[in-house]
Amino acid sequence: MQIVKDYGPITGESIAEKLNLTRATLRPDLAILTMAGYLEARPRVGYFYTGKTGKQLFADKMKKMKVEDYQSIPVVVNENVSVYDAIVTMFLEDVGTLFVVDDESLLAGVLSRKDLLRASLGKQELTAIPVNIIMTRMPNIAVCYKDDPLIDVAEQLIEKQIDAMPVVRKTEKGYEVIGRITKTNITKAFVSLAKED
Amino acid sequence: MQIVKDYGPITGESIAEKLNLTRATLRPDLAILTMAGYLEARPRVGYFYTGKTGKQLFADKMKKMKVEDYQSIPVVVNENVSVYDAIVTMFLEDVGTLFVVDDESLLAGVLSRKDLLRASLGKQELTAIPVNIIMTRMPNIAVCYKDDPLIDVAEQLIEKQIDAMPVVRKTEKGYEVIGRITKTNITKAFVSLAKED
């Protein structure tokens, strides 16, 4: 690494010469340092030092974790269903957040367990209230896209103090809901980081 | 690294000799490789190769993240309070899980938003039902300790499909609740991993 720092870009041949080693002996080490991201190799140019620490390389790797690789299937209800039916759907599907869509299947709102629990404390008949009365509605909804880094979504969940975010596709008319990212997905991603062989 | 692999344990002096470098020139590189965990240094013995890959070293690092460094303050209610009062406490404290304790302040049960939402759908008056009727009760509660690796708790939250776990201290009579780990804490830990400078 010191040689590459001092003389890079430098060919493997030249590094071997300076170390009084053969190119073959050196090859596995250069491969490891390149794979780990400490060195970079360019054809016909040679090795150069990337200047990245292990922590930076790890942060780079985390930024490559994309929403689409960790998202779950979204559970949606129409904005005209009753609060009672929404609660039943939440139990049947065993999710903590429902996304509410309009008649064109475009994102209209979000319902959390907290929203539904608050409504259930009221004196009104739950079968008589449509969810669009109690939901958090557009444009006050944080959304994300399938190519977003998972870490950015995790940060937003913390910042905005929400449990889930819809993964959307933007159309001319509005957002189509194509996925769901929750703190459960983030927790699974956290576990997967430690489990990688 | 190749030299240490082949000849380790080997002193810094001897490595420098083999590379035709001075000990001083070599020192920063050996320090980096040691800090990163690829090499280990023992006084009066020298450097040896740990055989660990970057991924293994990262997994080691994650195992060192302890519950006590990421836990939140627990919110507890007595087992005799009403379901209505528990829901109000949940909103006032803005938490998703309450821990239920007996008159000796020992862990007796857990109440999730889901438990409370289910109860609120029933026909009974919520002010008339004590939480110990609807809570998940001991010994069916997963607990953790402040010295546990955070990653183990994250795995259990996923496996058992729960949102939170009490951090406890074991006494002769039972468990005292001293903290709370939720998927929010895990999500914060995930973000902190990427943010480290």
Side-chain angles (χ1 to χ4, degrees), chain A:
Chain A
M1 274 170 71
Q2 189 64 47
I3 289 169
V4 179
K5 264 190 231 179
D6 292 345
Y7 301 100
I10 179 172
T11 63
E13 195 78 12
S14 308
I15 301 170
E17 222 167 79
K18 284 186 188 292
L19 290 173
N20 289 322
L21 294 169
T22 67
R23 178 77 186 86
T25 308
L26 199 60
R27 190 170 293 128
D29 291 270
L30 287 173
I32 288 172
L33 290 170
T34 306
M35 271 195 307
Y38 294 104
L39 302 184
E40 214 165 294
R42 294 246 173 94
R44 275 183 298 277
V45 177
Y47 293 89
F48 57 93
Y49 182 63
T50 60
K52 290 186 175 176
T53 63
K55 279 178 179 177
Q56 284 174 311
L57 291 165
F58 178 68
D60 285 358
K61 189 186 154 195
M62 282 189 83
K63 287 214 182 75
K64 283 184 196 140
M65 299 172 88
K66 299 293 181 193
V67 160
E68 65 183 331
D69 298 324
Y70 296 90
Q71 71 185 30
S72 296
I73 292 167
V75 179
V76 301
V77 293
N78 184 279
E79 60 182 334
N80 297 315
V81 306
S82 72
V83 170
Y84 184 89
D85 286 346
I87 296 175
V88 170
T89 302
M90 193 171 266
F91 275 102
L92 286 178
E93 302 282 350
D94 198 22
V95 292
T97 306
L98 297 174
F99 301 122
V100 183
V101 294
D102 62 21
D103 291 333
E104 296 186 280
S105 291
L106 298 173
L107 181 64
V110 172
L111 283 170
S112 66
R113 270 190 198 139
K114 204 169 152 183
D115 296 327
L116 294 173
L117 192 57
R118 190 185 294 109
S120 75
L121 279 190
K123 294 290 158 208
Q124 285 180 282
E125 182 56 52
L126 296 180
T127 54
I129 322 167
V131 289
N132 63 23
I133 302 292
I134 65 156
M135 71 190 186
T136 301
R137 60 182 61 249
M138 289 294 292
N140 304 318
I141 299 173
V143 300
C144 64
Y145 300 89
K146 67 183 175 60
D147 296 328
D148 285 346
L150 190 66
I151 187 75
D152 293 353
V153 179
E155 258 193 284
Q156 281 195 67
L157 293 177
I158 295 297
E159 222 172 76
K160 298 179 200 291
Q161 301 189 22
I162 52 180
D163 284 328
M165 209 184 281
V167 185
V168 300
R169 186 187 295 123
K170 202 169 185 168
T171 72
E172 278 174 28
K173 292 178 179 181
Y175 293 129
E176 285 171 10
V177 183
I178 60 174
R180 170 170 64 102
I181 288 284
T182 68
K183 287 176 183 167
T184 302
N185 299 117
I186 307 290
T187 301
K188 283 181 182 166
F190 180 79
V191 171
S192 76
L193 274 175
K195 291 274 147 171
E196 275 182 359
D197 54 339

